[in-house]
Structures are given as structure tokens and as C-alpha cells.
Amino acid sequence: VEDIGRINAVVYVFVVVVFLVLGLAATFYAPWIAPGFSAAKAGMLTDVLFVLCLAGILAGIGTYWGILLQARNTFARPAATAAVPPALAGAFCLGFDWGPWAPAIGTAAGFAVQAAVLFAFVSSVGVRVAPRLGVPAHLPLASQVASAAAATGLMSGAFVIANAWAAGLGSGSVATLGFANVAITAVVGFGLKVVGGPLLNTYSRLAALQDWAGLIAAVRKHVSIAWAAGCLIAAALYLLAVPIVSVLFQRGRFSPEHSAEVAGILLLLGIQLPWHVSGALVTRALSACQANGVLIEAATINLAVLVLLCWLLVDGWGLKGVAISVSGMYCASFVYCAFRLRSVVREAVRNGRH
């Protein structure tokens, strides 16, 4: 009990320090995220990024509590909370004409509600979540969990970065992107919470047995299935995007023209589905190999790729360029994580862990 309290302290401190540093440094890297913004917009973006970093703290701690639940073989409860952040972000975009502030505050509120619900779930199964001073006996475990939590928080930044670019494209662009993103994020988040935990257990068992060939074979099998499922869902979006958007959003001031515009962005965001789902399974395998540091690398590279693609595509393609950039980011993420998983396994084999 004492050691879990110390592990809690390490995770909380690591997540808070990482995101406070990122938030306070936003003034320096904001111009790189959205070059060409006016001084007023750049200042607003800096403030939005600070709010995002606060959301990252909530996302990281919530992820950690979800990991504690999964360690108790409780997978349904974390899965039930997956749709909360995107749903609230979409609700804020729908209800408030606040530009990039709407998705930022909505995302932060979503992660706050999700963390509160996960806290209640963790407390109900008797898991200690209070921190305790001291160095944990299992410090490597604490560092691995902290890295996974921080990586999740970092990836929450992709949505706000995309919306920052959308904000420079005129009135309504942020709302359009936010509406389209709700369906994608909710489906992916729920699906990965349902299958991600059990698969992490499978990969962890193979890694503990040092069955590296079996681990790679399992990942290939599951990625193939995930890729096929992602393609099927993307195809369904292609056929049903307009009806889905009309049913979900077409009311009040949301006209048929708005529905068609959101549906077009939803189609482009749907390109990410095979890459996103497959990449998430690969990250589970990396976690099983105790290589969560790679997840922070991947999250950082993802955000850099997103900014680069937006810089290249938005001028010519507008909001469609933002959507394509988000999908391209998940493609790059899958490629990088798959490459790093192979290198991690090869290093384990070379070190005699076979």
C-alpha cells in the first residue's frame, strides 16, 4: 500500500511538471504551431495552449487511473468514459461561438469530468490513489506509467492545434472541425478502451515470457484485424456521413449546407481510422515491452508532423487541409511506432532476453 502511494506521487508530479513547463513555455513555441498569426491571435493561441496544458494534466492523471482499473481486469468502466472529452468538446463548439476557446475549454472540461468519474471508479474497487512521499521500490514501473500518462496528455494537444489552424480560416471553421471530430474520437476512444486493455494483458504476458516471436505475431494479427475494421468503418462513413451529421447536428441554425460541409470534413478525418486504431495497438505492445518512453517520442513527433502538414496544406486546401493533416499525423504515428517496436524487440533479443 505504501509503495502504490509512492508510485502515485511519482506519476502525479511527473505529469504536472511536464505540462506546467509546456504551458509556461507556450509563448516561445506558439509561433511555430501557427505561423503567420497576427499578434492578437498569437496571444490568444498562447492562452489557449496554457488551458490545453491544464487539460493535459487531467488527461494524464485520468489515464493513470484507467491503468489502475485495467490492472484489476476492469475494462468496461474506463471504456464508458472514453466518449466524454470529445462529446463535451463538441457540445462547447455547438453551444458557444468562442473560436478556438470552445474546443479548448470543452476538452478541458471533458477530461475533468472523465477524471472525476475514473476517480470514483478506482475508489470503489479499493485502489489507493492518494500520493505518499518517498521513493517507490518499483521506480522503473512508476517511470513507465508516468511516461504513458504524459504521452496521452500530449496527444490531447493535437485537437487544439488543429483548431488553432482552423481559427485562421474564418467564421465557423472551428465549429465545423469540432463537430466532425466528435464522431471519430468517440468511436475510436470507446473501441480502443474496450479492446486495448485485454490486448495489453496479452502482450504483457508474451513479453514476460520473453516470447518475442509470439509477441510480434500477435501484434501483426491484431493490427491486420484492426486495419480491416478501420477500413470498414471508414467506408461506412463514406456512405453514411451526410445522414449521420444530419441526424446528430442538423437543427436550429445548423442548415443542410452546414451538414454537407461537416460531412466532407468527417470523410477526410475518417482516413485516419485504420492508422489510428492500428497504431494504438502497437503502442500497447510497446507498453508491454516497458518502452513507454517511446510513446512520449511518438506524441512529440506527432504534434510536429501535424504542424508541418498544416503549414503545407492549409493555404491551398483550407479546412480540408487541416483534416488531411490530422489523418496524416496518425499515419506517421503508426509508421514510427511500428518501426520502434521492431527495434525494441531486436534489442531485447540481442541482449539475450529470448
Side-chain angles (χ1 to χ4, degrees):
V1 174
E2 291 184 359
D3 202 47
I4 186 63
R6 295 184 181 121
I7 291 175
N8 293 342
V10 170
V11 173
Y12 299 158
V13 169
F14 181 80
V15 170
V16 170
V17 169
V18 165
F19 286 103
L20 279 182
V21 170
L22 288 174
L24 295 174
T27 302
F28 301 101
Y29 61 81
W32 293 91
I33 290 177
F37 272 27
S38 65
K41 282 190 174 181
M44 180 182 66
L45 177 59
T46 299
D47 295 337
V48 168
L49 287 171
F50 186 78
V51 172
L52 168 65
C53 289
L54 297 180
I57 293 174
L58 296 168
I61 293 175
T63 297
Y64 174 59
W65 289 339
I67 292 171
L68 294 179
L69 284 171
Q70 292 172 2
R72 290 290 190 96
N73 292 318
T74 302
F75 305 111
R77 289 181 175 183
T81 68
V84 173
L88 276 181
F92 271 70
C93 288
L94 182 63
F96 304 100
D97 187 17
W98 292 349
W101 280 110
I105 296 175
T107 299
F111 282 124
V113 172
Q114 183 185 43
V117 173
L118 288 170
F119 174 79
F121 287 157
V122 171
S123 299
S124 69
V125 298
V127 176
R128 180 190 176 102
V129 294
R132 185 182 180 90
L133 294 178
V135 178
H138 299 87
L139 185 57
L141 173 62
S143 65
Q144 289 291 320
V145 175
S147 296
T152 299
L154 280 174
M155 279 308 299
S156 69
F159 183 50
V160 172
I161 290 174
N163 276 280
W165 281 87
L169 297 174
S171 176
S173 295
V174 171
T176 299
L177 184 65
F179 296 143
N181 193 64
V182 168
I184 297 291
T185 308
V187 169
V188 171
F190 179 78
L192 291 178
K193 289 289 185 180
V194 170
V195 303
L199 289 182
L200 177 59
N201 286 351
T202 299
Y203 300 154
S204 297
R205 177 178 56 82
L206 293 170
L209 294 172
Q210 300 178 6
D211 183 4
W212 306 115
L215 174 64
I216 293 297
V219 172
R220 284 176 175 169
K221 175 184 175 181
H222 296 147
V223 164
S224 297
I225 296 172
W227 183 268
C231 288
L232 287 175
I233 297 173
L237 285 178
Y238 179 80
L239 297 173
L240 302 173
V242 173
I244 289 173
V245 172
S246 298
V247 169
L248 291 178
F249 301 118
Q250 190 170 313
R251 58 181 61 87
R253 293 179 299 171
F254 209 87
S255 67
E257 291 76 17
H258 291 147
S259 294
E261 184 179 6
V262 173
I265 300 302
L266 179 60
L267 290 177
L268 295 174
L269 289 174
I271 298 171
Q272 74 182 260
L273 286 171
W275 306 99
H276 192 162
V277 177
S278 300
L281 298 186
V282 175
T283 63
R284 268 47 175 198
L286 286 165
S287 294
C289 296
Q290 299 182 11
N292 282 334
V294 175
L295 304 186
I296 293 184
E297 297 173 13
T300 304
I301 291 172
N302 288 350
L303 298 182
V305 168
L306 176 59
V307 171
L308 175 62
L309 289 176
C310 285
W311 183 72
L312 292 173
L313 299 176
V314 168
D315 281 346
W317 291 65
L319 193 58
K320 292 180 180 179
V322 177
I324 294 171
S325 298
V326 172
S327 294
M329 175 191 70
Y330 284 108
C331 172
S333 177
F334 169 74
V335 172
Y336 179 78
C337 289
F339 170 78
R340 293 292 280 122
L341 177 62
R342 290 182 66 87
S343 66
V344 166
V345 170
R346 285 173 178 170
E347 183 179 356
V349 173
R350 282 198 302 268
N351 292 338
R353 295 164 59 194
H354 55 78

